[in-house]
């Protein structure tokens, strides 16, 4: 059974029209991630949530927002999609943060990925 | 800044051949984790392995094996007796403990296993 579910699998939107991508998980993991993957490139982390704490990557455009109303769901909102935002968007989860000696925390690596939502911009 | 290099953009092999995917990393941190992921044509990323910087013991899992060499900053992945189902893009990744919170993927190597 799928543990990280992304809907829809394919999304088409118009240039400048807001769009929301959905991710849900049945693992009860604390951490949820959103990645953007353009054709023939590696996934690029946009942001992640640890529980309700939002962690944005420094180079994530302001156009990209996220919401996590509860443990199971996380949404990616693109406020005004441009042609350059056409990509596969991957949601992932991990159970918790890694903990190193000295108490310094770091997000665990993403362990479970959804199948992704491929976003096209017309 | 941390960096992951996968010099092989694409590799093609014939079924049953062994194939090694190279991964070279750069970090100034002494504590870090290395990973391999598989992304088949269907698109989902599949976690394969995680190795911390203090554990240089090589690992074998079925037809998969990993060779971690700190002296050369490499974490290579070998598939023995490759199968068509191994065709995928394989990503190496690095996560630092102290100097960066980012989890960074390499550019990936596309492996095609031909029947």
């Amino acid at each position: 059974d799928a543990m990280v579910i992304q809907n829809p699998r394919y999304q088409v939107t118009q240039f400048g029209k807001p769009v929301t991508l959905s991710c849900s998980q049945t693992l009860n993991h604390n951490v949820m991630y959103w990645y953007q993957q353009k054709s023939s490139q590696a996934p690029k982390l946009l942001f992640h949530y640890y529980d309700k704490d939002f962690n944005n990557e420094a180079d994530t455009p302001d156009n990209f927002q996220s919401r996590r109303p509860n443990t199971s769901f996380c949404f990616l909102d693109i406020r005004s999609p441009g042609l350059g935002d056409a990509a596969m968007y991957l949601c992932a989860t991990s159970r918790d943060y890694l903990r190193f000696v000295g108490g310094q925390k770091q997000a665990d690596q993403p362990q479970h990925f959804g199948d992704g939502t491929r976003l096209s911009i017309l | 800044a941390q960096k992951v290099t996968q010099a092989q953009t694409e590799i093609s092999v014939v079924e049953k051949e062994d194939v090694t995917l190279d991964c070279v990393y750069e970090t100034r941190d002494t504590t870090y984790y290395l990973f391999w992921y598989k992304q088949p044509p269907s698109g989902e990323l599949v976690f394969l392995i995680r190795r911390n910087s203090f554990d240089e013991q090589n690992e074998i899992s079925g037809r998969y094996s990993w060779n971690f060499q700190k002296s050369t900053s490499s974490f290579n992945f070998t598939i023995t007796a490759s199968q068509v189902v191994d065709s995928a893009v394989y990503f190496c990744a690095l996560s630092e403990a102290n100097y960066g919170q980012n989890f960074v993927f390499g550019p990936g190597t596309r492996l095609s296993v031909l029947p």
Side-chain angles (χ1 to χ4, degrees):
Chain A
D1 290 336
M3 294 175 285
V4 181
I5 302 162
Q6 290 188 244
N7 285 308
R9 190 71 197 273
Y10 300 92
Q11 176 75 55
V12 181
T13 191
Q14 291 179 323
F15 183 93
K17 185 174 181 181
V19 64
T20 294
L21 308 183
S22 166
C23 177
S24 64
Q25 54 128 342
T26 60
L27 298 158
N28 206 35
H29 279 180
N30 286 319
V31 193
M32 293 186 78
Y33 309 78
W34 278 105
Y35 284 84
Q36 179 193 63
Q37 186 178 24
K38 296 188 178 181
S39 181
S40 300
Q41 294 185 20
K44 178 180 178 300
L45 182 63
L46 296 173
F47 25 60
H48 78 272
Y49 271 96
Y50 182 89
D51 197 10
K52 292 185 182 298
D53 293 332
F54 178 69
N55 298 271
N56 198 30
E57 294 300 302
D59 56 355
T60 298
D62 292 339
N63 200 24
F64 290 86
Q65 306 284 320
S66 186
R67 295 171 285 133
R68 189 177 185 186
N70 53 53
T71 301
S72 300
F73 285 88
C74 194
F75 300 99
L76 169 62
D77 300 310
I78 308 177
R79 290 191 297 187
S80 181
L83 296 178
D85 297 328
M88 173 77 88
Y89 289 88
L90 295 163
C91 175
T93 73
S94 63
R95 184 175 53 83
D96 210 330
Y97 279 136
L98 295 171
R99 280 172 171 76
F100 296 94
V101 174
Q104 194 162 13
K105 296 182 182 180
Q106 183 175 352
D108 199 354
Q109 91 283 358
Q111 293 169 322
H112 298 278
F113 281 83
D115 290 343
T117 294
R118 186 170 295 283
L119 178 66
S120 300
I121 314 294
L122 300 180
Chain B
Q2 66 210 91
K3 185 178 173 182
V4 179
T5 303
Q6 294 178 256
Q8 305 147 309
T9 305
E10 293 192 36
I11 301 176
S12 288
V13 299
V14 177
E15 206 170 17
K16 298 184 183 176
E17 284 185 9
D18 298 347
V19 59
T20 295
L21 310 181
D22 297 334
C23 174
V24 174
Y25 61 92
E26 291 179 32
T27 177
R28 57 178 175 151
D29 209 334
T30 55
T31 303
Y32 53 89
Y33 283 76
L34 294 162
F35 313 86
W36 277 95
Y37 288 81
K38 174 183 179 180
Q39 188 173 38
S42 50
E44 79 279 14
L45 272 159
V46 179
F47 166 70
L48 297 177
I49 189 172
R50 177 177 79 191
R51 178 51 51 95
N52 75 56
S53 52
F54 300 112
D55 182 4
E56 284 193 76
Q57 188 173 4
N58 291 329
E59 182 156 339
I60 297 175
S61 176
R63 296 184 297 108
Y64 295 170
S65 62
W66 291 270
N67 183 357
F68 178 28
Q69 301 258 353
K70 285 180 79 170
S71 60
T72 56
S73 297
S74 64
F75 186 44
N76 295 339
F77 173 31
T78 297
I79 303 174
T80 303
S82 59
Q83 300 175 2
V84 173
V85 293
D86 296 327
S87 298
V89 180
Y90 290 86
F91 293 98
C92 180
L94 166 69
S95 180
E96 293 178 330
N98 298 309
Y99 290 107
Q101 294 294 312
N102 290 336
F103 175 89
V104 176
F105 283 95
T109 296
R110 181 177 298 278
L111 173 65
S112 298
V113 181
L114 307 174

